[in-house]
Amino acid sequence: MRAVDIIIRKRDGEELTAEEIGFLVKGIASGDIPDYQIAAWAMAVLWRGMTIRETVDLTLAMAGSGQQLDLEKWAPGAVDKHSTGGVGDKTTLVVGPIVAACGVPVVKMSGRGLGISGGTIDKWESIPGFRTDLSRGEILRQVKEIGLVACTQTAELAPADGRLYALRDVTGTVPSLPLIASSVMSKKIASGARAIVLDVKAGSGAFMETVAEASTLARWMVRIGCGAGRRTVALVSGMFQPLGFAVGNALEVREAIETLRGAGPKDFRGHCLTIAAVMLQTGGRVRHARLGRALAEEKLNGGDALAKFRALVRAQGGDERVCDDLSLLPATPCRGILAVEKAGFIAEANAGKIGLASVRLGAGRAKKGDTIDPAVGIVLSVKVGDRVRRGDSLCEVHAATPEGLSQAQDELKGAFRIVREKVKPLPLFYRTIRR
Ligand code: URA
């Protein structure tokens, strides 16, 4: 078999066999196939697509390309959760502690932010001292002790995806449905949880810009997960405006702690409770999501989720005093608001544009390996549907320098649209997809 023949077949729109896909994945993981051939193949897939059968084969081959965790042995009943990425998406920081406080183990492996999509690892690391590069032994010990782990994905897990994703990132081949579905699901399958809840985002701040596209991606991922013997459920949620108010690493940690203390933005709290409820149901802790929601609310309101968050921060070397004193989180020297120029109703708070402004402030990376500033970001004062008067704040910018502040303020003007007529608030969720 030769890689070039497989590239040509895909270029011409043909369906690849399981053997061809297996050959490619093996060559990607071992380094035998050079970058230029992998990139050419990824571009052919982007244009020609893949059938669901090819996508399942690609996922399973990538999941099997490295180490696989047997979480069930160490943490029976563990539930995994994955978001396809968005702006202001700090859900894991709240949902992990809620679900663990309900007695369901959570081992959450996350990535770093890239482009406008924030990364949960960057958020955790904005807590002083917090370590995320845990060894396999540390992960297994901690999940046994406190039922909750937040760590980076180890390089041994689905290594073929690691190499392929890095190449896709620099060759314009990320936004391909079969490549995204197989990339996400290969890591979920290799991570070992028997139950998986997917939060598939739709909107300007997500990979999939429309609800229809996100729903197709969600359906494919559910089919792949269930086909691999994992109970998999997907929720399609909105990423047309940021989730909650805060965008930026330490700012999002602050908002997550406020939510765990019983306050926090209404949309973010509601989003977390729904995801937690579906995790509890999918993991078999409760029979109905309705019961899961009641249990999740009890653990959030009663402070058990905050206690779990505190135990996690302590276990991973972080300064747990941040739970009581938010001023211990990194903060910027320069702050300023963007004011409303004409009264009306907020029709748009564009997640993509706000995410980009936050990256330019230094909260995210333009390319892999860039350093980030944990303190910078944007805190919205409004959501779509809100009524505003002239002079009100649309958002507060947290910048490292006065120049950064005024540049972001200029840039953010284009992210908001205000109209005269009343506007309905946006839905949090569009649909739930089960097998
Ligand atoms: N997240 C992933 O892990 N892979 C993708 O392809 C896109 C988002």
Side-chain angles (χ1 to χ4, degrees):
M1 222 177 266
R2 296 188 319 158
V4 62
D5 299 324
I6 300 174
I7 297 166
I8 290 169
R9 271 175 36 77
K10 188 39 77 185
R11 181 200 68 191
D12 294 344
E14 290 175 38
E15 184 173 352
L16 302 180
T17 65
E19 289 68 37
E20 286 172 318
I21 290 171
F23 172 83
L24 262 181
V25 170
K26 218 166 145 201
I28 294 172
S30 66
D32 288 348
I33 300 181
D35 284 359
Y36 52 84
Q37 285 189 311
I38 301 170
W41 172 78
M43 188 56 88
V45 172
L46 183 115
W47 280 103
R48 291 298 197 169
M50 275 185 149
T51 62
I52 181 82
R53 202 230 80 234
E54 287 176 291
T55 311
V56 170
D57 287 338
L58 177 60
T59 309
L60 297 181
M62 290 203 297
S65 67
Q67 204 178 62
Q68 306 216 30
L69 281 184
D70 189 3
L71 255 194
E72 200 54 27
K73 211 162 92 193
W74 292 86
V79 183
D80 204 352
K81 170 251 164 206
H82 186 86
S83 156
T84 54
V87 178
D89 186 3
K90 64 223 61 112
T91 308
T92 293
L93 277 66
V94 171
V95 155
I98 294 178
V99 173
C102 295
V104 173
V106 178
V107 175
K108 184 67 187 90
M109 295 190 184
S110 304
R112 295 186 186 279
L114 198 58
I116 60 166
S117 192
T120 304
I121 289 299
D122 296 328
K123 296 171 201 187
W124 284 123
E125 287 182 354
S126 66
I127 299 175
F130 197 101
R131 269 186 61 222
T132 57
D133 58 335
L134 306 186
S135 68
R136 195 162 175 265
E138 284 174 313
I139 295 172
L140 297 175
R141 203 172 320 121
Q142 188 173 313
V143 74
K144 268 190 149 182
E145 278 168 15
I146 63 165
L148 180 59
V149 181
C151 57
T152 47
Q153 189 191 302
T154 65
E156 297 82 43
L157 218 68
D161 173 67
R163 184 161 173 228
L164 178 58
Y165 191 78
L167 281 170
R168 285 168 57 210
D169 193 42
V170 290
T171 56
T173 49
V174 169
S176 148
L177 191 148
L179 293 181
I180 295 176
S182 55
S183 167
V184 170
M185 294 310 292
S186 63
K187 288 175 288 208
K188 293 291 107 182
I189 291 167
S191 305
R194 293 288 179 272
I196 302 167
V197 174
L198 303 164
D199 181 7
V200 183
K201 306 281 188 198
S204 59
F207 285 119
M208 299 290 150
E209 295 208 0
T210 67
V211 173
E213 283 174 320
S215 302
T216 307
L217 175 62
R219 252 179 243 115
W220 281 44
M221 292 201 290
V222 168
R223 275 177 75 174
I224 295 169
C226 293
R230 314 298 162 103
R231 293 186 303 282
T232 311
V233 177
L235 294 112
V236 176
S237 66
M239 190 34 73
F240 296 93
Q241 63 182 341
L243 184 58
F245 291 127
V247 179
N249 299 293
L251 294 169
E252 293 187 43
V253 170
R254 165 186 285 268
E255 192 163 84
I257 294 174
E258 283 167 352
T259 305
L260 286 163
R261 283 179 180 172
K266 195 164 145 250
D267 67 325
F268 177 55
R269 181 183 156 86
H271 181 88
C272 291
L273 287 170
T274 301
I275 298 278
V278 176
M279 286 173 77
L280 293 170
Q281 182 195 23
T282 310
R285 174 72 175 77
V286 293
R287 290 194 83 188
H288 299 289
R290 187 173 26 87
L291 299 174
R293 183 155 182 132
L295 186 58
E297 267 183 53
E298 185 189 311
K299 299 298 176 191
L300 184 58
N301 297 341
D304 306 79
L306 179 60
K308 208 39 111 172
F309 180 95
R310 191 187 292 275
L312 173 84
V313 174
R314 189 187 315 127
Q316 296 190 207
D319 185 348
E320 64 178 285
R321 292 175 305 158
V322 296
C323 300
D324 311 301
D325 182 358
L326 294 170
S327 73
L328 293 171
L329 288 167
T332 59
C334 307
R335 289 180 201 179
I337 67 156
L338 176 67
V340 172
E341 286 175 3
K342 96 179 174 268
F345 294 88
I346 303 291
E348 188 181 8
N350 189 290
K353 291 179 182 170
I354 294 166
L356 198 57
S358 169
V359 170
R360 293 220 176 100
L361 278 165
R365 300 178 178 79
K367 57 181 193 318
K368 215 170 164 173
D370 283 354
T371 50
I372 58 159
D373 182 340
V376 298
I378 296 151
V379 180
L380 301 186
S381 316
V382 294
K383 302 292 296 189
V384 168
D386 285 356
R387 178 181 211 146
V388 286
R389 286 168 310 186
R390 194 160 183 265
D392 283 353
S393 165
L394 285 170
C395 63
E396 185 180 43
V397 178
H398 295 236
T401 60
E403 298 75 46
L405 176 63
S406 64
Q407 193 189 324
Q409 283 167 318
D410 271 352
E411 217 178 307
L412 282 162
K413 282 183 191 154
F416 295 92
R417 195 161 54 83
I418 297 173
V419 296
R420 284 217 190 149
E421 323 71 58
K422 246 184 161 178
V423 178
K424 275 202 199 141
L426 291 173
L428 277 180
F429 292 95
Y430 291 89
R431 56 181 60 115
T432 303
I433 292 168
R434 299 172 196 274
R435 198 178 182 151

